[in-house]
Amino acid sequence: MTETPEQKARRDIDAKLIASGWLVQDRDDLDLTAGRGIAVREFLMKPGFGFADYLLYLDRKAVGAVEAKAGGTLTGVEAQSAKYAAGLPDNLPAHRRPLPFLFESNGAVTFFTNGLDPKPRSRKVFSFARPETLAEWATQPAQLRARLKALSPLEEAGLWKVQKQAITSLETSLAKADSRALIQMATGSGKTFTAVNEAYRLLRFGGAKRILFLVDRGNLGKQTEDEFANFTPPDDTRKFPALYTVQRLKSNSINPAAKVVITTVQRLYSMLKGDTDFDNENEEGSSFDTAKPWKGEPPDVVYNAGIAPEFFDFVIVDECHRSIYELWAQVLLYFDAFLIGLTATPAGRTIGFFNKNLVMQYGHDEAVADGVNVDFDVWRIRTQITESGATILAAPTDVYVDKRHKMTRAERLEKLQQDLTYTANELDRDIVAEDQIRTVIREFRDKVIPQAFPGRREAPKTLIFAKDDSHADDIVRMVRDEFGEKNEFCEKITYRTGFTRIAKKVTNDDGTESETTEWVKTTSLTPDEILANFRNSYFPRIAVTVDMISTGTDVKPIECVFFMRNVKSAGFFEQMKGRGVRVISPDKLKVVTPSARAKERFIIVDAVGVCEQDKTDCHTLNRKPSATLSELLEYVGQGGTDTDALTTLAGRLARLQCELAPAQLSELRDLAGGKQLPDLSADLLQACDADAQIEAAQQTFGTSKPTPEQIAQATDQLAQQAVTPLLKAALRRRILEMRAQNEQTIDRHTIDAVTFSDFDASAVEKARSKVKDFRAWIAANRDQLTALQVLYSGTKPLKLSLKDLRQLRDALAAPPLAVSPMQLWRAFAIVESAKVADAAPGVTRPGEQLADLVSLVRHAIAPTVPLEPYAAEVRSRFVEWMRQKREAATTFTTEQHEWLNRIAEHIATSLAVDPAAFQDGWFGQQGGYGRAFKLFGDKLQPLLAELNERLAA
């Protein structure tokens, strides 16, 4: 007999109740001694209230009810279950009246209403709450949502304004029982610290049972664990772990005593499936780069009694903009918990997932204004080949081109049979134009560094993004050649580098410290350890990377982010760009970059037009006609079994069978447990074949007409069997390495040329706005500040003190301008380069001396006046004064001449000189005012007055 929709719903509901720990009984067979939780079918309520589809007994007392529906929407059904809540016969025992816990379900979808909440509101849940959970809730004096409305006032000590606002706004949202909330805080503003503060408050004052902190990479989990370990709450002297157990999962087992559980979404999914083991390597890769949502249904999450949906009260999702959370959204939705997202760069889909409940919005612009991030300028480099490609002519004489093996780098010559034309998109993948790379690197060396970082004696810490490992190798070699530096100067840092150099400080027997170097295999290191040298040591100056783009590990000394690869995802680009925004103190910066004075901004060097192209909000395979082999393997390796993915992967593996050598195929067979590539392809295709799926269901369930549910179960089994060999990271890695062993053509014939190299339009517009705002500000404040009053009056000699200039500098640094003299000087140099003088070699950078404010304000008032450092103006006036003295037959001894030079230098930095200035510095070392009087006699005072008047004009 065909099953009716109502029968199917009841069967599915029974299964869900049983999985959730309830014993399902008919009313006639009721036995309250059979277990703690009993679900009684068709229970007769008191007159006028009909039959409850299921009455829930807990410890022999009624506690709730289930309203069952035969498919369709459940909207409006709450009224029926609410009727059951009030309809329990008066002579039967109940934990509370009316019955507090009500469910509505059609077997596929279940809603739950907690009648003990301040404002009972139904919410979708994965399954029924377990009996022990309802027992706990029934005895609580106040439910979680009630406790969230009465949290203790926030103790603001140790928090800055953005963190206070984030916590306050989040708790306002939680008090309204909003199930999802999104916090956007710029890189470096303390998202994790904010989350740890909130976790403490939820445990301490909200009575939270357990909190899940979810990340998508192992190194982020370690950083989060460290943040918890170092946190001291404002109302206790003990560290967080001394008060509440914090567990970062390293195995598929949760400590029952843990109050905070930190894990990756990959491991959590493995645990929900019931896996006892998980390959730790799957937690270290960059899932953001490769894990993509696929068309069709993602892998199912099934009920796990050991980690019930109500196991966590709160789930904090770190870096929730990453596409992996879109792919594995069902992992998040499994839990009946408040979802709190943390991100610096929310995409549209991220905001949508969190119900547009953006409780905190603190972006890069605000962070720059607050000094949390540094701003950036873009320097654009264009060359003929990067814009248009090139053609290698095969005639009139024999032309040979080099062919290079990507993996071994071995080269051979091949005669060109016909003209070879390639486009810019083929560069560095199929075609390597060596002079194109060399031209870009040379332009960076000769123009970008001197102009963007004047006065530097070493290259700024620079991170170059390459297209792939082969491209990275070419860049590393060219950088070393063009800069004429040793190997340590430029290094490749990727997961596949092989070995990396780790510098460690050791304590010697005599108590002194020294540095030792170890070479460690990168696969045994975390991303943070791989980047340690780049962050903490002088070398390397330049790092080239492919796959360490969004690691979550910070390298604060980076002052230059160099794009030699393109990217179309807005979120991806923001992550890459974010490597340079971190603030670092001048002292710490000088440890690795000695000639740097401060990091006030960073430079994006754009050699491919990445800053000029439109970008999508997400980085998904659905937007591409085909996926790369790397993306397919990563998707399957993380449990994905969508039909489109498996079919495409089967075809790629079959194609690879024809490309690899017998020894390579043998190696892959061993890694795949004896299966050849054709076997893997066949298994994948069979898992996607409808007839094979039906046949498998027939065999599994012993029926000629399996139900759709049985077919779905058999299909999942086929898919799991097919992808099992590919779940091993070692096999996936070797497939990709072998696939990379094809040849590139090396173009050593075409000579490239720079067509454009300067700050790009956005940097110019930003500078123009800064100059305009500065001119408007000084005009509006000309009567409020002494320095502006004097400079606007134009009186000479200049009657200003350093105190007046400090007051002006501090006013400029405050909102709304929030700008330094050096930043203003750079803006004028970009907008009015013809009127801005270059700094003399070896002197301080323009705008660095306080006295340069005089030049800046004068030029802003009168744009026709050239902008040059105040010291240069003073030096010019001094040279002219000395010339006039010579014409007047006034001579000075060598020692007098030295003193006059020093006096001029003092005026250049201090605006004036007086007798008190002779007590310190060079003057004091030479004998002070007494020595000066001995040299110049009674002419000293008139001489000082004359120099003040002539030089400080």
Side-chain angles (χ1 to χ4, degrees):
M1 179 181 293
T2 303
E3 192 175 42
T4 66
E6 183 173 356
Q7 289 173 330
K8 180 182 182 305
R10 292 298 181 99
R11 177 169 55 80
D12 291 343
I13 292 172
D14 284 357
K16 282 181 175 286
L17 284 166
I18 293 169
S20 301
W22 296 88
L23 296 176
V24 180
Q25 299 178 353
D26 291 329
R27 182 163 52 95
D28 293 340
D29 298 324
L30 177 59
D31 179 3
L32 295 181
T33 67
R36 188 176 189 187
I38 308 293
V40 188
R41 300 188 188 98
E42 299 297 333
F43 194 93
L44 179 63
M45 308 302 278
K46 62 186 179 182
F49 288 84
F51 288 84
D53 293 326
Y54 297 84
L55 184 70
L56 301 180
Y57 269 91
L58 173 68
D59 297 330
R60 306 185 186 187
K61 295 181 182 179
V63 74
V66 179
E67 169 67 8
K69 286 297 179 183
T73 178
L74 294 174
T75 303
V77 181
E78 296 94 343
Q80 184 62 42
S81 52
K83 182 179 178 182
Y84 297 152
L88 183 72
D90 296 335
N91 60 348
L92 292 181
H95 285 271
R96 298 198 184 198
R97 290 178 184 269
L99 299 178
F101 305 125
L102 306 175
F103 297 87
E104 302 89 35
S105 180
N106 59 19
V109 177
T110 302
F111 281 84
F112 168 62
T113 301
N114 185 342
L116 302 180
D117 285 341
K119 294 182 178 180
R121 184 167 73 217
S122 70
R123 60 182 184 267
K124 187 177 179 181
V125 292
F126 189 85
S127 189
F128 300 98
R130 300 185 66 80
E132 55 268 29
T133 301
L134 295 188
E136 181 183 350
W137 291 349
T139 57
Q140 289 177 346
Q143 298 297 296
L144 176 61
R145 283 160 177 76
R147 300 195 297 270
L148 292 177
K149 295 175 71 70
L151 291 177
S152 175
L154 177 63
E155 178 62 57
E156 299 183 356
L159 298 171
W160 74 295
K161 63 175 183 178
V162 173
Q163 294 166 338
K164 289 186 288 187
Q165 183 182 345
I167 293 174
T168 301
S169 299
L170 173 61
E171 292 183 355
T172 299
S173 175
L174 294 176
K176 294 188 295 183
D178 293 329
S179 60
R180 306 182 195 180
L182 179 60
I183 294 175
Q184 179 202 0
M185 292 174 63
T187 300
S189 57
K191 292 189 299 296
T192 307
F193 182 75
T194 300
V196 172
N197 269 274
E198 183 59 24
Y200 173 76
R201 288 178 54 75
L202 293 174
L203 290 167
R204 172 76 170 81
F205 305 113
K209 178 173 61 178
R210 202 176 284 109
I211 297 173
L212 172 64
F213 201 111
L214 202 59
V215 298
D216 79 329
R217 270 185 305 284
N219 69 304
L220 295 181
K222 179 64 171 64
Q223 291 177 25
T224 302
E225 182 183 35
D226 291 343
E227 196 78 63
F228 274 101
N230 295 325
F231 179 77
T232 303
D235 58 350
D236 202 303
T237 58
R238 293 170 292 177
K239 297 290 187 183
F240 193 113
L243 299 167
Y244 302 105
T245 301
V246 178
Q247 181 188 18
R248 178 168 65 92
L249 295 185
K250 300 174 185 177
S251 65
N252 284 14
S253 177
I254 297 177
N255 179 356
K259 288 295 187 179
V260 175
V261 176
I262 305 168
T263 189
T264 60
V265 67
Q266 301 97 307
R267 182 182 291 279
L268 180 62
Y269 175 66
S270 169
M271 294 171 66
L272 290 178
K273 288 195 303 179
D275 296 344
T276 55
D277 297 312
F278 184 71
D279 188 344
N280 291 337
E281 288 190 18
N282 288 330
E283 295 187 294
E284 295 302 337
S286 180
S287 303
F288 180 55
D289 301 347
T290 54
K292 312 294 193 300
W294 198 269
K295 292 186 299 181
E297 292 298 324
D300 287 335
V301 171
V302 296
Y303 185 88
N304 186 317
I307 312 174
E310 64 269 21
F311 193 76
F312 296 104
D313 285 336
F314 297 89
V315 177
I316 300 173
V317 189
D318 192 26
E319 304 292 354
C320 63
H321 61 276
R322 300 202 199 280
S323 53
I324 188 170
Y325 290 120
E326 183 179 274
L327 178 62
W328 302 114
Q330 71 273 24
V331 175
L332 304 181
L333 300 180
Y334 172 82
F335 294 103
D336 179 25
F338 289 93
L339 299 183
I340 302 169
L342 308 176
T343 181
T345 54
R349 57 183 167 77
T350 310
I351 297 173
F353 178 82
F354 284 92
N355 298 334
K356 296 185 178 180
N357 187 25
L358 188 59
V359 299
M360 179 65 194
Q361 193 169 9
Y362 182 73
H364 174 71
D365 291 345
E366 296 94 334
V368 170
D370 286 337
V372 174
N373 285 176
V374 295
D375 203 1
F376 66 92
D377 289 320
V378 178
W379 187 289
R380 181 71 165 98
I381 299 176
R382 294 189 182 95
T383 74
Q384 292 175 353
I385 293 180
T386 53
E387 295 291 302
S388 307
T391 298
I392 307 174
L393 299 177
T397 60
D398 288 346
V399 173
Y400 288 83
V401 294
D402 294 281
K403 293 284 187 175
R404 185 177 68 193
H405 203 274
K406 271 191 175 182
M407 288 293 290
T408 66
R409 315 292 287 177
E411 295 185 13
R412 64 180 179 84
L413 284 176
E414 181 179 283
K415 184 178 178 180
L416 199 61
Q417 301 297 328
Q418 60 183 7
D419 293 352
L420 175 62
T421 298
Y422 58 88
T423 66
N425 289 335
E426 296 176 271
L427 279 174
D428 308 308
R429 299 194 190 278
D430 301 319
I431 303 288
V432 176
E434 289 193 338
D435 197 61
Q436 179 266 334
I437 301 175
R438 190 180 302 279
T439 298
V440 170
I441 296 301
R442 190 171 292 172
E443 187 70 8
F444 175 63
R445 179 197 68 190
D446 295 343
K447 189 172 182 181
V448 179
I449 294 179
Q451 293 193 22
F453 303 95
R456 291 292 180 89
R457 295 188 296 274
E458 66 278 304
K461 285 278 186 176
T462 300
L463 183 63
I464 299 179
F465 290 113
K467 297 174 183 176
D468 54 31
D469 272 355
S470 180
H471 187 212
D473 288 340
D474 290 329
I475 294 172
V476 168
R477 178 170 56 85
M478 295 287 186
V479 169
R480 291 171 179 171
D481 288 349
E482 289 303 314
F483 280 84
E485 289 285 355
K486 56 185 178 180
N487 292 344
E488 291 178 330
F489 178 82
C490 180
E491 294 180 355
K492 182 172 72 170
I493 49 171
T494 76
Y495 292 114
R496 295 182 293 278
T497 301
F499 288 85
T500 191
R501 179 173 52 85
I502 298 294
K504 294 183 177 180
K505 291 189 180 298
V506 296
T507 303
N508 303 316
D509 294 338
D510 60 0
T512 61
E513 280 193 346
S514 60
E515 191 173 272
T516 63
T517 298
E518 295 180 10
W519 289 92
V520 184
K521 192 170 180 61
T522 55
T523 53
S524 67
L525 298 174
T526 66
D528 192 64
E529 291 170 327
I530 295 174
L531 289 171
N533 276 351
F534 192 39
R535 180 191 304 108
N536 302 323
S537 302
Y538 182 83
F539 288 119
R541 301 306 308 164
I542 298 175
V544 184
T545 187
V546 178
D547 57 359
M548 299 187 71
I549 289 167
S550 47
T551 63
T553 43
D554 301 310
V555 183
K556 294 180 180 180
I558 289 178
E559 295 183 272
C560 188
V561 176
F562 198 155
F563 285 91
M564 294 186 72
R565 64 165 290 186
N566 209 340
V567 60
K568 295 182 180 179
S569 160
F572 201 9
F573 175 65
E574 290 299 324
Q575 285 290 294
M576 298 164 81
K577 190 174 70 178
R579 298 308 100 204
V581 303
R582 285 289 196 173
V583 173
I584 184 172
S585 68
D587 290 341
K588 291 183 178 179
L589 178 61
K590 289 177 182 179
V591 171
V592 294
T593 307
S595 66
R597 291 181 172 86
K599 180 179 176 180
E600 291 188 326
R601 54 74 155 113
F602 72 99
I603 295 293
I604 292 177
V605 179
D606 182 2
V608 292
V610 67
C611 296
E612 300 168 357
Q613 298 182 3
D614 292 334
K615 297 172 182 64
T616 61
D617 262 347
C618 54
H619 188 61
T620 69
L621 284 177
N622 291 339
R623 295 177 178 267
K624 297 181 179 181
S626 61
T628 67
L629 180 61
S630 173
E631 292 168 335
L632 291 166
L633 287 173
E634 186 72 21
Y635 171 78
V636 171
Q638 293 177 342
T641 57
D642 176 76
T643 299
D644 289 341
L646 300 191
T647 303
T648 306
L649 181 56
R652 299 294 176 81
L653 294 180
R655 190 185 313 163
L656 194 60
Q657 171 74 19
C658 303
E659 299 177 7
L660 300 183
Q664 294 173 321
L665 293 173
S666 177
E667 181 184 349
L668 291 182
R669 181 191 62 211
D670 293 340
L671 290 172
K675 285 185 176 288
Q676 302 270 18
L677 286 182
D679 298 330
L680 296 176
S681 297
D683 290 346
L684 292 170
L685 289 174
Q686 185 181 28
C688 302
D689 183 82
D691 292 335
Q693 294 166 357
I694 294 174
E695 183 180 346
Q698 291 171 339
Q699 294 177 356
T700 301
F701 297 100
T703 176
S704 60
K705 294 183 179 180
T707 65
E709 291 77 15
Q710 291 171 334
I711 294 174
Q713 186 175 340
T715 298
D716 182 64
Q717 291 175 353
L718 283 175
Q720 293 300 331
Q721 292 170 4
V723 301
T724 294
L726 296 167
L727 296 180
K728 299 297 183 182
L731 174 60
R732 299 197 305 273
R733 188 181 304 111
R734 282 302 288 148
I735 289 175
L736 292 175
E737 290 172 352
M738 292 178 182
R739 178 65 181 84
Q741 294 177 0
N742 58 344
E743 289 185 322
Q744 297 173 309
T745 299
I746 312 298
D747 179 7
R748 295 190 172 115
H749 299 262
T750 307
I751 301 301
D752 202 6
V754 174
T755 59
F756 177 85
S757 177
D758 208 334
F759 287 108
D760 80 339
S762 65
V764 174
E765 184 56 36
K766 190 185 299 182
R768 185 176 288 112
S769 175
K770 197 167 290 184
V771 167
K772 180 181 178 182
D773 291 346
F774 174 59
R775 285 192 165 118
W777 185 87
I778 61 173
N781 292 273
R782 59 185 296 178
D783 296 327
Q784 277 71 49
L785 296 169
T786 301
L788 293 181
Q789 292 174 355
V790 172
L791 291 170
Y792 263 97
S793 69
T795 57
K796 295 185 179 181
L798 193 63
K799 300 298 183 182
L800 267 181
S801 68
L802 290 180
K803 179 181 177 181
D804 297 330
L805 289 183
R806 289 191 190 97
Q807 183 187 34
L808 174 58
R809 180 197 61 193
D810 295 343
L812 289 170
L817 286 186
V819 69
S820 71
M822 287 178 61
Q823 291 171 328
L824 286 172
W825 201 288
R826 283 199 300 267
F828 276 110
I830 292 173
V831 176
E832 304 173 6
S833 57
K835 299 177 183 178
V836 180
D838 293 331
V843 301
T844 57
R845 292 178 293 176
E848 189 169 18
Q849 292 295 332
L850 195 58
D852 286 339
L853 275 170
V854 174
S855 302
L856 281 167
V857 174
R858 281 176 170 170
H859 178 72
I861 295 172
T864 57
V865 175
L867 179 58
E868 62 176 334
Y870 186 75
E873 295 182 33
V874 171
R875 173 55 56 181
S876 296
R877 298 189 194 107
F878 177 67
V879 170
E880 175 61 19
W881 181 80
M882 289 293 293
R883 185 190 65 78
Q884 293 175 1
K885 290 296 181 183
R886 286 195 300 271
E887 289 180 353
T890 302
T891 60
F892 298 104
T893 66
T894 300
E895 187 176 3
Q896 287 176 326
H897 199 281
E898 174 68 12
W899 275 76
L900 290 172
N901 268 294
R902 296 289 183 167
I903 290 171
E905 290 176 3
H906 185 83
I907 294 174
T909 57
S910 302
L911 304 179
V913 65
D914 57 25
F918 291 87
Q919 306 308 311
D920 302 310
W922 184 88
F923 298 121
Q925 295 171 2
Q926 303 304 314
Y929 188 80
R931 180 58 183 167
F933 189 83
K934 187 173 182 180
L935 281 174
F936 296 100
D938 293 336
K939 296 180 180 179
L940 178 59
Q941 281 296 344
L943 189 64
L944 295 181
E946 183 180 357
L947 287 171
N948 279 331
E949 183 172 349
R950 291 289 301 274
L951 303 190

